Amino acid sequence: MSQYSKLDLFRREVDTQVTTLKQILPVLKTQPSAATELDQAAQAAHSLWGTASLVELDAAANLAQAMEQCFTTAVSQAAHLDDEHIDVLLHAGDLLLGISRAADDALEQWMVDHSWDLATTQKTISVIASQKGESKAQAGQARSQPSAVSHQEIESAPTPHLPLPTPHPPLPTPHPPSEPMSANLAAVLSNDDGSMMDLFRLEMEAQVAVLNDGLLALESNAHSGQALETLMRAAHSIKGSARIVALDAVVNLAHVMEDCFVAAQGKTIALNSDQVDVLLQGVDLLQGISQVSNADLPTWLTQKRSEFAQTQSQVAAILDPNAMPAPPGVASTSVSLPAPTLSVAVEIAAPSPAEALVNQTESTIAVATLPAVEKSGSPATAPPTNQDRVVRVSAENLNRIMGLAGESLIEANWLQPHADSMTSLKWRLVDLSRKLEELQDALDRGAYQNEARGFLDQARQKEQECLGFLSDRLNELELYAQRTANLSDRLYREVISSHMRPFADGVQGFPRMIRDLARKLNKQVKLEVLGKATSVDRDILKKLEAPLTHILRNAVDHGIELPAERVADGKPAEGTIRLEAFHRGGMLAITISDDGRGINPDWLRQKVINKKLATPEMVAQMKDAELMEFIFLPGFSTAKQVTEISGRGVGLDIAKSMAQEVGGTVRAISQVGKGTSFHFQLPLTLSVVRTLLVEISGSPYAIPLARIDQVLTVERSQIFDIENRQYFTMNQQNIGVIPAYQVLNLPPTPTPAQELSIVVISEQTNAYGLVVDQFLGERDLVVRPLDPRLGKVPDISATSLLGDGTPVLIVDVSDMVRSIDAILNNERVARVGIKTIVETQEKRKKILVVDDSITVREMERKLLENRGYTVDIAVNGAEGWNAVRANSYDLVISDIDMPKMNGIELVRQIKSHSRLQDLPVIIVSYRDREEDRIQGLDAGADYYLTKSSFHDDTFVGAVIDLIGK
């Protein structure tokens, strides 16, 4: 039977059986113990389960199976079906109808869109089936109480095949319930393993974003039919979702919001900005409940009970102005609009001195942590921090990863037959060896004419067979290498893609934030977001939230002018802020620009002088680009007065720090009267960095491309010397030159006769030309952090491996610029305009480093080579023991914990050997206990050091003490 015919069979079966259920279930509302109807319902659900299983629709099969279990339990009198339970079962039938009526090409998308509804409905029915021994008195009481929502109301996401619910009359003004948590909610929380509430929170997060965007769109076009339709659907989905998890306060609030949107659709009301404020207040409450853990939910509901009641009554008042006012004792949340000045008047209680200090430092980051400011006195409940991190991956992306993983598994199976072929080749070579031995024997006996010629022919034949066989296998191996390289690249890119999110996910709250700030300041501001689909690393997207928030708040507060001022300057009354993200040159570029008043460079110069950051003479010579770097300093503010929104000098330094933390840059450009723009250049991902590979003192080093200003070669004749400082000119700017080996404390190397390879790096206004041995090309490197026990390694940020397994250190450009500054202030810079002679006058001391950690080995090797020693390495004790017996060393440096032979055994072997017993040994270990130190010294070690000694001169001092410089 074809898949097409199976789906047709499924559709016919669903139509038939769901029709049967819709005839039976209303009967069960009045006759809950009707055995015949319950049997028929169970049979119908069983048929649905079988048909859904046949077409491999797991979600439909699981839902039908839960329905069957529910009816079977009711038949045995182990569970009682009340009106609400029957409504849920009817809703399940509608979901099955929705699946059957979805088109073939849209079925998968329909299942994705309704996955939450399917899962929670199934979970709810399973909970109903698991309720045992409910008394008839309880059942009668449950039937006597009116259902909170009808069957149509519980539908959380109506499809094009199902009619939308009819509007309901507004709910009466609610009164705070006597109990903060209903019995139904208590049952949900007690029976939930976490999955149902987690799904509810994901649904709330998605629908709250829709409500925020829709209300902002509605404010600019109060009669937008599309926006109202979207808002109504979102409120309806929240109502159905909350009903399933028994959150009555959310159900009631979403219900009255939905009625408000339906009324606006019918043009019986028109929503203005003040009414949108009330609806947004309701959205904030809905978002707040999605950020509360199950354990804190009862307490949170108790604290927010009056707020839900007040907000619900305020929304109801939009429909009926004569509705009951908010309960007394609840603080007003209205905001008084300010006069046309930069000051802000908000109805808040006067804070205590301690609170004022906290507000002064934290007010600028409030919006970064919550989408709206809490208007109640109680602090917002933060999401639980002890939960496992959840990452969203699209179904298509996950399917591609699974497909690539399957291909990788299949390709791996090719290796064993290839290994068998190599074994076969081995035996053919053994046979060839025997023939050659027989030939040699025949020649030794002088029997060339009779036997040797035959053996020679056989050997040549075997040789040709082996060559042909080996050629075929090598061709196969080459093709396999190409396939696996391609597969690995595809898999790698797909995994990286799974760690990316669209830029829109990180900026959802910004339009709402801009709208609220503009209303407080009596300004007209429009936010344009471009490049919403641009892929951004999840971690970078999270780090961007705070700096973007600060920049946007500054733009609204003292960037965009008041409407009257803009009109007087010939600008439109409404200011525009543009937030754009795009990929350029293998980097992520983000631009935030406004068309406001801009920053006056003369005023900025005076500010720098007043803060004594530079002398008047220096400031007068600074270009505008150099001046703009000062606004990123901590405590430096461009605001003329301090408000609760901005002006305390907090924010832009966070933007600079964030950019440097991820290996990127940020710069600002401003024109008086035309506006200000901020330009971020960031890596596409933090797990992989695009670097320039250079050679310094014979070893490869990687410099992140995002931190490189320019790469160039300079003729020796273009290097000038003034006051013992060397420089060259680039873009009419003098760039100081310093050899990279001096910054990294590496041995000097000869420089080329004619040209110097220079990497220009900068930090704020300082730019330097770093002279390297040669450029090795650009590479994408997988970042491997250094062992945290090593602390901060100077001038190095991380490590990686090249394609051939060679370790490479990734340079920390910011740290390197600081090191260059220190060298220029305290040391004489090495000359780069003449050849440097490598020290060859005396024989270098030779040291063996034995450690199983590649990071520690490389650190010790570079520290020792910087001091002029020759260093060999061994990866474990056994390899080190073989090395000291085969070579001559002046010193052995060993770890303790190593495979095959530990450091204590190695020291004992050395000290017990007649030739090696005088060889000095230093143990360098993470172990810092006194008993470990005694054990190492008792074994014969001359020094016992911990690996923290790398940070001072202890380690090098011990080496010099034992073998000299």
Side-chain angles (χ1 to χ4, degrees):
M1 181 181 294
S2 67
Q3 182 69 17
Y4 178 78
S5 60
K6 285 182 181 180
L7 285 175
D8 283 347
L9 173 62
F10 171 74
R11 292 187 175 99
R12 290 196 297 269
E13 186 71 14
V14 169
D15 286 341
T16 302
Q17 301 302 341
V18 171
T19 300
T20 301
L21 288 174
K22 288 193 172 185
Q23 293 172 351
I24 294 173
L25 288 172
V27 175
L28 294 177
K29 284 191 175 183
T30 57
Q31 303 177 31
S33 301
T36 303
E37 282 74 9
L38 287 172
D39 284 334
Q40 292 176 355
Q43 292 174 4
H46 183 77
S47 298
L48 289 170
W49 170 74
T51 308
S53 300
L54 179 65
V55 295
E56 299 179 349
L57 289 172
D58 294 338
N62 294 337
L63 181 59
Q65 188 177 31
M67 295 171 68
E68 180 188 1
Q69 292 173 350
C70 186
F71 292 130
T72 303
T73 306
V75 169
S76 63
Q77 302 297 317
H80 175 78
L81 300 179
D82 59 22
D83 290 354
E84 293 182 4
H85 298 159
I86 292 173
D87 286 339
V88 174
L89 291 165
L90 284 168
H91 178 58
D94 283 344
L95 284 176
L96 293 171
L97 276 177
I99 296 174
S100 69
R101 294 174 182 176
D104 292 352
D105 56 352
L107 179 58
E108 182 178 355
Q109 186 60 43
W110 194 97
M111 299 295 287
V112 171
D113 293 341
H114 295 76
S115 59
W116 187 91
D117 202 359
L118 289 165
T120 50
T121 304
Q122 176 194 338
K123 183 79 173 181
T124 304
I125 295 174
S126 299
V127 171
I128 296 171
S130 64
Q131 293 174 354
K132 306 291 185 180
E134 182 181 8
S135 66
K136 292 183 179 180
Q138 290 173 324
Q141 183 181 3
R143 288 194 302 274
S144 66
Q145 295 175 350
S147 174
V149 291
S150 67
H151 158 58
Q152 285 181 324
E153 293 173 38
I154 200 169
E155 181 179 305
S156 64
T159 69
H161 307 288
L162 301 177
L164 290 174
T166 57
H168 305 283
L171 293 176
T173 302
H175 298 282
S178 58
E179 293 294 333
M181 183 171 64
S182 66
N184 287 337
L185 177 57
V188 169
L189 293 177
S190 61
N191 289 282
D192 184 28
D193 58 0
S195 59
M196 181 182 292
M197 291 302 297
D198 286 344
L199 289 171
F200 167 74
R201 292 184 181 97
L202 290 174
E203 174 77 2
M204 286 290 290
E205 182 181 345
Q207 299 301 339
V208 163
V210 173
L211 287 174
N212 268 319
D213 293 342
L215 286 170
L216 296 181
L218 195 65
E219 195 170 24
S220 59
N221 185 3
H223 299 288
S224 172
Q226 181 178 359
L228 288 169
E229 175 75 11
T230 302
L231 289 166
M232 187 274 295
R233 287 178 178 272
H236 185 69
S237 297
I238 290 176
K239 181 177 65 176
S241 305
R243 183 67 191 90
I244 290 176
V245 294
L247 288 171
D248 296 335
V250 177
V251 170
N252 296 334
L253 179 56
H255 178 87
V256 72
M257 291 176 69
E258 178 190 1
D259 288 341
C260 189
F261 298 136
V262 171
Q265 278 184 304
K267 301 189 185 315
T268 58
I269 63 171
L271 298 176
N272 57 34
S273 294
D274 292 333
Q275 293 167 340
V276 169
D277 278 338
V278 174
L279 291 168
L280 285 173
Q281 180 183 342
V283 174
D284 291 341
L285 277 175
L286 295 176
Q287 183 171 19
I289 202 169
S290 68
Q291 299 173 335
V292 183
S293 65
N294 287 1
D296 297 334
L297 185 57
T299 303
W300 190 90
L301 288 173
T302 302
Q303 295 173 346
K304 299 293 183 181
R305 182 172 45 180
S306 59
E307 284 191 49
F308 270 99
Q310 179 198 13
T311 304
Q312 184 177 331
S313 65
Q314 289 176 344
V315 176
I318 298 175
L319 291 166
D320 182 8
N322 298 320
M324 185 180 299
V330 181
S332 173
T333 58
S334 63
V335 178
S336 62
L337 294 178
T341 65
L342 283 177
S343 61
V344 183
V346 185
E347 294 180 5
I348 55 175
S352 65
E355 290 173 339
L357 179 60
V358 173
N359 291 339
Q360 182 175 353
T361 58
E362 292 185 354
S363 63
T364 57
I365 63 172
V367 178
T369 54
L370 287 176
V373 179
E374 287 284 340
K375 296 183 175 62
S376 68
S378 60
T381 303
T385 58
N386 58 347
Q387 295 182 350
D388 293 337
R389 184 183 180 190
V390 177
V391 177
R392 296 184 184 178
V393 180
S394 67
E396 295 79 5
N397 188 261
L398 186 60
N399 288 337
R400 288 194 294 268
I401 293 176
M402 291 295 293
L404 291 171
E407 290 184 43
S408 179
L409 182 63
I410 293 172
E411 289 292 341
N413 293 334
W414 181 89
L415 286 174
Q416 187 57 47
H418 185 76
D420 295 340
S421 299
M422 294 297 99
T423 302
S424 176
L425 177 60
K426 171 187 173 181
W427 290 114
R428 295 190 184 196
L429 291 172
V430 169
D431 194 14
L432 174 60
S433 177
R434 290 173 182 170
K435 295 299 181 184
L436 292 174
E437 289 177 1
E438 292 175 355
L439 173 60
Q440 182 65 43
D441 184 62
L443 292 175
D444 292 343
R445 290 185 285 106
Y448 177 78
Q449 294 295 333
N450 298 329
E451 300 179 19
R453 186 175 296 276
F455 291 144
L456 182 59
D457 291 340
Q458 294 176 18
R460 287 176 175 172
Q461 180 181 357
K462 291 293 183 182
E463 178 199 16
Q464 292 301 317
E465 290 178 3
C466 291
L467 287 175
F469 188 84
L470 182 60
S471 177
D472 293 341
R473 299 293 81 79
L474 287 175
N475 290 336
E476 292 176 4
L477 184 60
E478 184 178 356
L479 291 174
Y480 174 76
Q482 294 175 356
R483 292 200 309 270
T484 52
N486 178 263
L487 178 60
S488 298
D489 181 69
R490 290 159 55 205
L491 181 58
Y492 159 76
R493 294 183 182 279
E494 204 62 53
V495 171
I496 291 297
S497 177
S498 69
H499 199 258
M500 310 292 277
R501 296 297 303 162
F503 183 63
D505 285 4
V507 299
Q508 289 179 351
F510 289 154
R512 166 75 184 280
M513 179 189 75
I514 296 297
R515 179 258 183 201
D516 290 345
L517 292 179
R519 279 181 59 80
K520 285 183 179 181
L521 298 172
N522 202 23
K523 295 182 178 182
Q524 299 178 22
V525 184
K526 175 179 63 176
L527 176 65
E528 296 179 354
V529 181
L530 306 179
K532 292 183 177 181
T534 302
S535 297
V536 184
D537 184 282
R538 297 175 191 274
D539 296 330
I540 291 179
L541 196 61
K542 184 177 180 181
K543 293 177 183 294
L544 274 170
E545 182 179 6
L548 292 185
T549 298
H550 290 302
I551 293 174
L552 291 172
R553 287 168 65 89
N554 288 341
V556 175
D557 188 17
H558 51 86
I560 301 296
E561 311 94 330
L562 291 166
E565 183 181 347
R566 291 180 61 86
V567 172
D569 292 339
K571 298 181 179 180
E574 183 180 56
T576 301
I577 300 175
R578 175 172 295 180
L579 177 58
E580 183 177 8
F582 54 93
H583 293 166
R584 179 177 61 193
M587 303 290 292
L588 169 67
I590 296 177
T591 301
I592 311 99
S593 59
D594 65 70
D595 62 350
R597 58 173 57 92
I599 300 175
N600 190 320
D602 296 332
W603 179 88
L604 187 57
R605 282 188 169 88
Q606 190 60 46
K607 189 87 170 181
V608 172
I609 295 172
N610 293 342
K611 285 184 169 288
K612 299 181 179 179
L613 298 173
T615 63
E617 294 77 13
M618 294 175 60
V619 172
Q621 296 177 1
M622 288 183 181
K623 299 179 180 178
D624 290 349
E626 295 174 328
L627 276 175
M628 294 300 293
E629 289 294 328
F630 284 96
I631 69 176
F632 294 107
L633 294 177
F636 194 98
S637 174
T638 57
K640 295 183 179 179
Q641 66 183 82
V642 175
T643 70
E644 70 163 6
I645 295 176
S646 61
R648 295 183 174 87
V650 180
L652 293 182
D653 60 314
I654 295 179
K656 188 78 170 181
S657 299
M658 174 268 167
Q660 293 177 350
E661 180 184 352
V662 301
T665 59
V666 59
R667 60 187 177 91
I669 300 174
S670 184
Q671 289 182 285
V672 178
K674 294 185 178 180
T676 305
S677 60
F678 292 84
H679 303 270
F680 286 86
Q681 187 172 356
L682 308 171
L684 291 180
T685 176
L686 294 182
S687 57
V688 177
V689 60
R690 186 73 173 170
T691 66
L692 172 67
L693 212 61
V694 299
E695 183 179 301
I696 304 173
S697 294
S699 299
Y701 285 82
I703 305 176
L705 279 183
R707 300 305 310 275
I708 296 177
D709 294 347
Q710 194 163 343
V711 176
L712 68 163
T713 57
V714 178
E715 295 288 339
R716 184 188 302 277
S717 59
Q718 296 176 342
I719 301 296
F720 303 98
D721 193 338
I722 295 181
E723 296 181 351
N724 296 322
R725 300 287 177 87
Q726 294 181 297
Y727 70 93
F728 71 98
T729 303
M730 182 185 72
N731 299 329
Q732 299 181 347
Q733 180 184 4
N734 293 334
I735 306 295
V737 176
I738 186 170
Y741 72 78
Q742 184 177 11
V743 182
L744 297 173
N745 291 319
L746 298 175
T749 55
T751 57
Q754 297 299 328
E755 293 183 341
L756 299 175
S757 300
I758 297 180
V759 179
V760 180
I761 58 176
S762 64
E763 180 76 7
Q764 295 182 355
T765 59
N766 298 327
Y768 299 104
L770 205 62
V771 180
V772 300
D773 298 350
Q774 60 178 322
F775 303 131
L776 302 179
E778 295 183 14
R779 303 287 171 84
D780 285 323
L781 298 180
V782 178
V783 177
R784 299 188 177 192
L786 295 171
D787 193 312
R789 291 173 293 187
L790 295 175
K792 177 64 178 77
V793 179
D795 306 319
I796 302 300
S797 64
T799 184
S800 186
L801 293 176
L802 300 180
D804 59 358
T806 302
V808 59
L809 296 175
I810 301 176
V811 170
D812 184 338
V813 173
S814 298
D815 203 10
M816 181 168 279
V817 171
R818 288 190 289 269
S819 297
I820 294 175
D821 288 336
I823 293 174
L824 293 176
N825 292 330
N826 303 314
E827 300 180 31
R828 183 181 180 88
V829 179
R831 310 277 292 180
V832 297
I834 57 175
K835 290 188 177 182
T836 305
I837 302 175
V838 182
E839 181 184 0
T840 58
Q841 288 82 354
E842 59 180 6
K843 182 181 178 182
R844 293 189 178 186
K845 302 288 178 65
K846 194 172 183 181
I847 299 175
L848 175 65
V849 172
V850 187
D851 202 301
D852 61 335
S853 169
I854 185 173
T855 303
V856 175
R857 288 200 307 269
E858 288 301 305
M859 285 297 302
E860 292 179 351
R861 181 178 69 82
K862 291 186 179 300
L863 282 172
L864 295 170
E865 287 181 346
N866 291 346
R867 299 286 179 163
Y869 299 104
T870 299
V871 181
D872 289 347
I873 59 174
V875 298
N876 55 57
E879 184 175 325
W881 175 235
N882 292 332
V884 296
R885 289 182 296 172
N887 301 284
S888 177
Y889 294 101
D890 299 291
L891 175 67
V892 173
I893 300 173
S894 175
D895 188 17
I896 289 182
D897 299 315
M898 297 181 293
K900 296 185 179 180
M901 179 187 292
N902 63 41
I904 300 297
E905 294 172 347
L906 175 61
V907 174
R908 287 173 179 165
Q909 291 281 6
I910 292 173
K911 294 302 180 179
S912 62
H913 194 279
S914 59
R915 180 176 63 85
L916 304 173
Q917 59 185 358
D918 295 329
L919 177 62
V921 178
I922 297 177
I923 289 180
V924 182
S925 174
Y926 286 122
R927 300 183 182 183
D928 56 359
R929 298 179 304 175
E930 185 61 24
E931 52 264 39
D932 296 324
R933 173 184 173 83
I934 294 174
Q935 183 185 18
L937 295 176
D938 287 344
D942 298 90
Y943 271 88
Y944 187 102
L945 304 176
T946 62
K947 294 185 177 178
S948 61
S949 63
F950 294 158
H951 306 308
D952 52 34
D953 295 331
T954 305
F955 173 72
V956 176
V959 174
I960 296 175
D961 183 51
L962 289 175
I963 62 174
K965 295 185 179 180

